[in-house]
Amino acid sequence: GFLEDGILVQDVSRTRRRYLGSWTFPWDVLAVLPTELLCLLPGVPRVPGVPAARANRCLRVPRLFEAFDRCETRTGWPNVFRVAKLMLYLLLGIHWHGCLYFALSAHLGLGADPWVCPSFTRLLRRYLHSFYFSTLVLTTVGDTPAPQREEELLFVTAGFLLAVLGFATITGNISTVIINLSAADAAFYPDARKLPAEREVLQPLPRGLQAEVAASVHLAALRRVGLFRSWEHGLLRQLVLRLRPQVFGPGEFVCRRGDVGREMYFIREGRLAVVAEDGVTRLAVLGEGLYFGEISLINIKGNMAGNRRTANILSIGYSDLFCLGKEDLAEVLAEFPSARAAMEAKGRELLLRMGRLDTGAEAAAMAAEAEAKQRLRGLEVALEGLQTRAARLLAQLEASALRMALRVQRLEGRL
């Protein structure tokens, strides 16, 4: 398949048309042409002409690298694959160097001096000697015959330079494998300190564009929070600018009992445990879509904890949370009173279950609130009466002023 506008296309006919129209198609055709058949023509050398006739096979190198990249990204053992690929490159490099050594020996004459390849009768023995000689040169082990001619000196010097380059490449690849082994956990389990500062990134953008970008990133996750499922889309877009993503690691406390609460949390991914004072005993487990910490931010009547945390929240694994500050929460709840009522109902239930809700104080607060509302209603009625009387007096005053003006006008007319 291939990607078209970000969508994976797996239709065979479309894939075929796309491949036939790409530049890789003629490249692949040239790579598989049976050019070695040219050696069957009269007048063409048999064995010496075979390597040159098969040179088009080197056109497969881009495809080989592409296959390696795809296998490395899809295999379950990428580091093992990298080591195997490195060994393959090493063996292939020695093989090519051995072929060049044998070609040079054939040019200078097999067995002409101790440095060149001896004139063994078996072809396998010649290849093994060439491979062994190249291994000694490229690994800089030594124990090779001293070169006698200029061609031999240049070949050995080039071999030593290639050996230095090869050692640097091998060392770099092995270091990468070791680093990747130690960094595998960090790739799958992020560190909270490495999270991007979204507000700083979005700061230069207009507020409307900030809302669009933040909504495209976090809106789907917000929809999984039960509290937000009934909220309006426009309000969620405003809310998403106030949320701050945070990540907590295994065994890390999100909040402790007795701390002053300044924010509440929404669970995007992961699991958190409500633990006892010993920090081990689990009282409850919170999962994706739940929220906590609102009790210390909302003024719940009868709450004996006030603005203090009422529970110890511990991250079981790596937990991805949204954090909402107290001021931002107050602004959101002022615009959405039904959400405030839902939060207060849940908080009251939790406080009642934990025995931290003073029902007497709650009743007294509710009675005081009812009395305050009744007094306020009385004041409103009295104010309305005063406003009515003031309006009547103002009307009478205006009528008296009008009559006075008419009377003065008549007197002026008599005079």
Side-chain angles (χ1 to χ4, degrees), residues 51 87-103 105-106 110 116-136 138:
M87 295 301 299
L88 176 64
Y89 287 157
L90 184 62
L91 294 175
L92 187 61
I94 295 175
H95 166 76
W96 283 346
H97 190 270
C99 292
L100 293 176
Y101 166 73
F102 181 77
S105 298
L110 297 178
V116 298
C117 180
S119 57
F120 296 115
T121 55
R122 296 179 59 193
L123 185 61
L124 177 62
R125 186 67 181 271
R126 295 179 180 179
Y127 173 76
L128 292 178
H129 177 84
S130 301
F131 193 88
Y132 173 73
F133 184 88
S134 297
T135 303
L136 294 179
L138 295 180

Side-chain angles (χ1 to χ4, degrees), residues 119-166:
S119 57
F120 296 115
T121 55
R122 296 179 59 193
L123 185 61
L124 177 62
R125 186 67 181 271
R126 295 179 180 179
Y127 173 76
L128 292 178
H129 177 84
S130 301
F131 193 88
Y132 173 73
F133 184 88
S134 297
T135 303
L136 294 179
V137 172
L138 295 180
T139 56
T140 64
V141 174
D143 295 335
T144 57
Q148 305 294 329
R149 311 180 190 182
E150 296 178 355
E151 297 87 343
E152 298 173 356
L153 289 170
L154 292 175
F155 186 83
V156 173
T157 303
F160 285 152
L161 294 177
L162 289 175
V164 173
L165 178 62

Side-chain angles (χ1 to χ4, degrees), residues 164-201:
V164 173
L165 178 62
F167 271 119
T169 304
I170 293 173
T171 304
N173 279 273
I174 295 298
S175 301
T176 302
V177 170
I178 295 175
I179 293 174
N180 289 337
L181 285 174
S182 60
D185 291 340
F188 286 97
Y189 305 113
D191 187 355
R193 292 170 295 182
K194 296 181 181 179
L195 286 175
E198 295 188 1
R199 293 189 175 182
E200 297 180 3
V201 174

Side-chain angles (χ1 to χ4, degrees), residues 95-325:
H95 166 76
W96 283 346
H97 190 270
C99 292
L100 293 176
Y101 166 73
F102 181 77
L104 180 61
S105 298
H107 174 72
L108 298 177
L110 297 178
D113 58 53
W115 186 87
V116 298
C117 180
S119 57
F120 296 115
T121 55
R122 296 179 59 193
L123 185 61
L124 177 62
R125 186 67 181 271
R126 295 179 180 179
Y127 173 76
L128 292 178
H129 177 84
S130 301
F131 193 88
Y132 173 73
F133 184 88
S134 297
T135 303
L136 294 179
V137 172
L138 295 180
T139 56
T140 64
V141 174
D143 295 335
T144 57
Q148 305 294 329
R149 311 180 190 182
E150 296 178 355
E151 297 87 343
E152 298 173 356
L153 289 170
L154 292 175
F155 186 83
V156 173
T157 303
F160 285 152
L161 294 177
L162 289 175
V164 173
L165 178 62
F167 271 119
T169 304
I170 293 173
T171 304
N173 279 273
I174 295 298
S175 301
T176 302
V177 170
I178 295 175
I179 293 174
N180 289 337
L181 285 174
S182 60
D185 291 340
F188 286 97
Y189 305 113
D191 187 355
R193 292 170 295 182
K194 296 181 181 179
L195 286 175
E198 295 188 1
R199 293 189 175 182
E200 297 180 3
V201 174
L202 299 178
Q203 188 71 28
L205 302 178
R207 187 165 184 82
L209 187 56
Q210 290 182 22
E212 290 291 341
V213 174
S216 64
V217 175
H218 298 307
L219 199 57
L222 285 180
R223 288 292 185 188
R224 296 197 296 267
V225 179
L227 180 66
F228 299 146
R229 289 172 186 168
S230 60
W231 286 27
E232 300 174 1
H233 181 76
L235 188 58
L236 287 179
R237 289 180 58 185
Q238 295 300 321
L239 176 66
V240 78
L241 292 175
R242 297 180 171 93
L243 294 176
R244 300 190 307 273
Q246 292 186 0
V247 172
F248 293 88
E252 187 176 356
F253 278 93
V254 180
C255 59
R256 293 179 179 272
R257 182 176 179 179
D259 293 344
V260 177
R262 296 183 177 88
E263 58 273 319
M264 67 174 299
Y265 298 92
F266 304 92
I267 304 176
R268 181 181 181 184
E269 292 180 356
R271 293 191 309 152
L272 299 100
V274 182
V275 297
E277 294 299 330
D278 57 3
V280 178
T281 306
R282 295 183 183 179
L283 305 178
V285 176
L286 307 177
E288 177 183 329
L290 300 179
Y291 59 93
F292 60 92
E294 78 284 1
I295 297 178
S296 57
L297 303 184
I298 303 176
N299 185 19
I300 300 177
K301 302 176 184 63
N303 183 9
M304 294 185 293
N307 62 346
R308 300 283 179 174
R309 299 291 190 189
T310 59
N312 300 312
I313 307 296
L314 179 71
S315 179
I316 297 176
Y318 284 87
S319 303
D320 190 358
L321 309 179
F322 285 127
C323 176
L324 182 63

